[in-house]
């Protein structure tokens, strides 16, 4: 199939997936991403063989992943993730990294262990937040704790990718990362500076016109941070995450009354187009044959699923704030153990570097897909039914 035909197929799946999710939600609140990926697998070469590939599709998929990480960076509310909760989240992730690398080294050896161990420490913040929002828990105490632990679980592996998977010597990787941090700090200083009076006026005046100044500025910030990270030889996900944080600081500081509507427009662009392309292409490119043809890959899948809980979840449970009751700590463990986007990114790097085999990557991604399906649902059941959806303060925070 041509690239144009494949794009039409991908967007058809993107339209069908929320209809299926809505229909099933009366019995089970299955995350939308599951339908997008499964329909992608169905359309992919290992099942129906309808979808093709090409540079355009790959580029759109990469932009979708960048937008997903960008929105995760934007979601961080700095006033809620600092202090003791942030310290606990940092220690929980560092503990997970040490345990994950140690277990992965023991199971698979040094070279593969770096990739697998890093993937086991991630949290799919952009995937679990919509589930929490729909349950009315996003702005509760539990929601703020999950945001803190999830933000570190999203940002930490990105840093680990830059340090451990770049192929550079550790000293050089650290120096490059420090250079990026300095540039990001300069950008934060710029974002937090007082803006001239015309700035919020232009945003408000063009918000509902063809000008769309704020949206274009957001896209420019994302492009600049992606360009900086690429120029330094870092993974572009680091730039995307930093761009999200910068955008929040800029909009909420200079034009707080317009921040909500601007975010709605950026989310419409992301979740209406780019992010679904990433998830559907993930399904299309999923190596189902490699997973099903050999017994080893199928055996690895439940092992990896268990390791997500042991490596990422148990440190979260142990270091969760003491004011959380036991059922909330258990629910936090399951939500934090949910992984997917960064697992896809890390396994792709591993396969491209000829370190991970395709069946190993398929088993790890398959386990991550199951974590998205099982862990948030189990976490919600532990928390209990909550049907009242809270509206976020200061505009849309939807995922």
């Amino acid at each position: 199939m041509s690239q144009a035909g494949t794009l039409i197929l991908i967007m058809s799946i993107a339209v069908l997936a929320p209809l299926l999710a809505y229909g099933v939600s009366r019995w089970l609140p299955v995350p939308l991403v599951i339908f997008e990926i499964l329909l992608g697998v169905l359309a992919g070469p290992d099942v129906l063989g309808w979808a093709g590939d090409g540079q355009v599709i790959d580029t759109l998929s990469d932009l979708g992943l960048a937008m997903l990480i960008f929105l995760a960076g934007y979601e961080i509310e700095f006033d809620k993730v600092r202090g003791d909760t942030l310290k606990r989240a940092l220690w929980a992730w560092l503990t997970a990294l040490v345990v994950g690398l140690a277990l992965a080294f023991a199971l698979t050896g040094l070279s593969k262990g770096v990739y697998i161990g890093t993937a086991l420490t991630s949290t799919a913040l952009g995937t679990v937040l919509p589930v929490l929002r729909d349950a009315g828990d996003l702005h509760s105490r539990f929601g703020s704790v999950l945001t803190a632990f999830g933000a570190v679980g999203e940002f930490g592996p990105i840093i680990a990718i830059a340090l451990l998977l770049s192929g550079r010597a550790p000293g050089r990787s650290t120096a490059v990362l420090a250079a990026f941090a300095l540039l990001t700090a300069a950008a934060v200083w710029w974002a937090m500076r007082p803006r001239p009076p015309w700035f919020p006026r232009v945003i408000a005046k063009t918000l509902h016109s063809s000008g769309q100044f704020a949206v274009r500025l957001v896209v420019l910030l994302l492009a600049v941070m992606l360009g900086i990270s690429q120029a330094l030889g870092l993974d572009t996900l680091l730039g995307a995450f930093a761009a999200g944080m910068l955008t929040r600081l800029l909009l909420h500081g200079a034009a707080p009354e317009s921040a909500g509507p601007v975010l709605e427009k950026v989310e419409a662009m992301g979740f209406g187009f780019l992010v679904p392309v990433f998830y559907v292409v993930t399904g299309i490119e999923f190596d189902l044959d490699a997973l099903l043809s050999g017994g080893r890959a199928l055996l690895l899948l439940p092992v990896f699923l268990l390791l997500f809980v042991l490596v990422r979840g148990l440190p979260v449970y142990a270091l969760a704030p003491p004011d959380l009751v036991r059922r909330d700590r258990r629910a936090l463990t399951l939500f934090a153990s949910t992984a997917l986007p960064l697992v896809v990114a890390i396994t792709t790097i591993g396969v491209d570097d000829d370190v991970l085999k395709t069946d190993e990557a398929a088993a790890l991604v398959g386990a991550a897909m199951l974590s998205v399906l099982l862990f948030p649902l189990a976490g919600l059941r532990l928390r209990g039914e909550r049907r009242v959806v809270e509206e976020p303060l200061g505009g849309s925070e939807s995922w």
Side-chain angles (χ1 to χ4, degrees), residues 62-114:
D62 291 341
L63 288 174
L65 177 57
M67 180 61 75
L68 184 67
I69 301 301
F70 168 87
L71 290 169
Y74 185 96
E75 190 65 32
I76 298 177
E77 301 178 48
F78 296 95
D79 58 331
K80 292 185 178 181
V81 301
R82 60 190 180 187
D84 181 66
T85 300
L86 180 58
K87 292 178 182 178
R88 289 175 176 273
L90 287 170
W91 278 112
W93 183 80
L94 289 173
T95 302
L97 181 63
V98 173
V99 174
L101 291 176
L103 287 176
F105 289 163
L107 291 173
T108 64
L110 182 61
S111 58
K112 294 180 182 180
V114 175

Side-chain angles (χ1 to χ4, degrees), residues 6 9-10 13-14 16-17 20 32-52 276-292 301 340 344 361-362 365-370:
T6 298
L9 176 62
I10 289 172
I13 291 174
L16 179 60
L20 293 175
L32 172 63
V33 58
I34 292 298
F35 291 100
E36 293 170 341
I37 293 176
L38 290 181
L39 290 173
V41 172
L42 183 64
D46 292 341
V47 184
L48 296 177
W50 290 349
V277 171
F278 163 69
Y279 280 126
V280 175
V281 170
T282 296
I284 291 172
E285 296 180 346
F286 182 71
D287 198 339
L288 188 62
D289 279 349
L291 181 63
L292 300 180
L301 191 148
L340 185 60
V344 173
V365 173
M369 291 165 58
L370 285 178

Side-chain angles (χ1 to χ4, degrees), residues 12-275:
S12 299
I13 291 174
V15 171
L16 179 60
L19 296 177
L20 293 175
Y22 175 76
V24 173
S25 65
R26 284 174 281 183
W27 300 281
L28 196 65
V30 179
L32 172 63
V33 58
I34 292 298
F35 291 100
E36 293 170 341
I37 293 176
L38 290 181
L39 290 173
V41 172
L42 183 64
D46 292 341
V47 184
L48 296 177
W50 290 349
D53 56 10
Q55 186 61 44
V56 173
I57 302 300
D58 291 340
T59 300
L60 289 175
S61 177
D62 291 341
L63 288 174
L65 177 57
M67 180 61 75
L68 184 67
I69 301 301
F70 168 87
L71 290 169
Y74 185 96
E75 190 65 32
I76 298 177
E77 301 178 48
F78 296 95
D79 58 331
K80 292 185 178 181
V81 301
R82 60 190 180 187
D84 181 66
T85 300
L86 180 58
K87 292 178 182 178
R88 289 175 176 273
L90 287 170
W91 278 112
W93 183 80
L94 289 173
T95 302
L97 181 63
V98 173
V99 174
L101 291 176
L103 287 176
F105 289 163
L107 291 173
T108 64
L110 182 61
S111 58
K112 294 180 182 180
V114 175
Y115 294 86
I116 295 174
T118 303
L120 292 174
T121 68
S122 67
T123 295
L125 182 63
T127 302
V128 300
L129 285 184
V131 177
L132 207 63
R133 174 174 164 74
D134 291 344
D137 260 349
L138 183 57
H139 298 280
S140 65
R141 167 61 177 164
F142 179 82
S144 64
V145 172
L146 177 59
T147 300
F149 278 79
V152 176
E154 192 103 61
F155 189 64
I158 295 175
I159 298 294
I161 291 173
L163 288 174
L164 302 177
L165 307 182
S166 64
R168 291 186 294 260
R172 180 172 171 78
S173 295
T174 303
V176 170
L177 195 60
F180 180 84
L182 288 175
L183 291 172
T184 303
V188 168
W189 173 81
W190 170 82
M192 297 182 67
R193 288 188 63 194
R195 305 259 79 83
W198 60 261
F199 187 82
R201 287 202 300 267
V202 172
I203 289 179
K205 188 174 182 179
T206 62
L207 196 57
H208 303 289
S209 72
S210 60
Q212 297 294 328
F213 170 73
V215 176
R216 298 182 187 196
L217 181 60
V218 169
V219 175
L220 175 60
L221 280 175
L222 176 58
V224 168
M225 296 309 296
L226 291 178
I228 291 174
S229 59
Q230 188 174 45
L232 292 174
L234 298 170
D235 195 285
T236 53
L237 299 184
L238 187 61
F241 198 89
M245 295 189 294
L246 286 172
T247 300
R248 183 181 188 91
L249 290 172
L250 177 63
L251 291 180
H252 284 260
E257 67 285 347
S258 299
V262 171
L263 178 60
E264 288 178 354
K265 292 176 180 290
V266 176
E267 285 179 331
M269 177 173 55
F271 290 112
F273 177 39
L274 293 173
V275 174

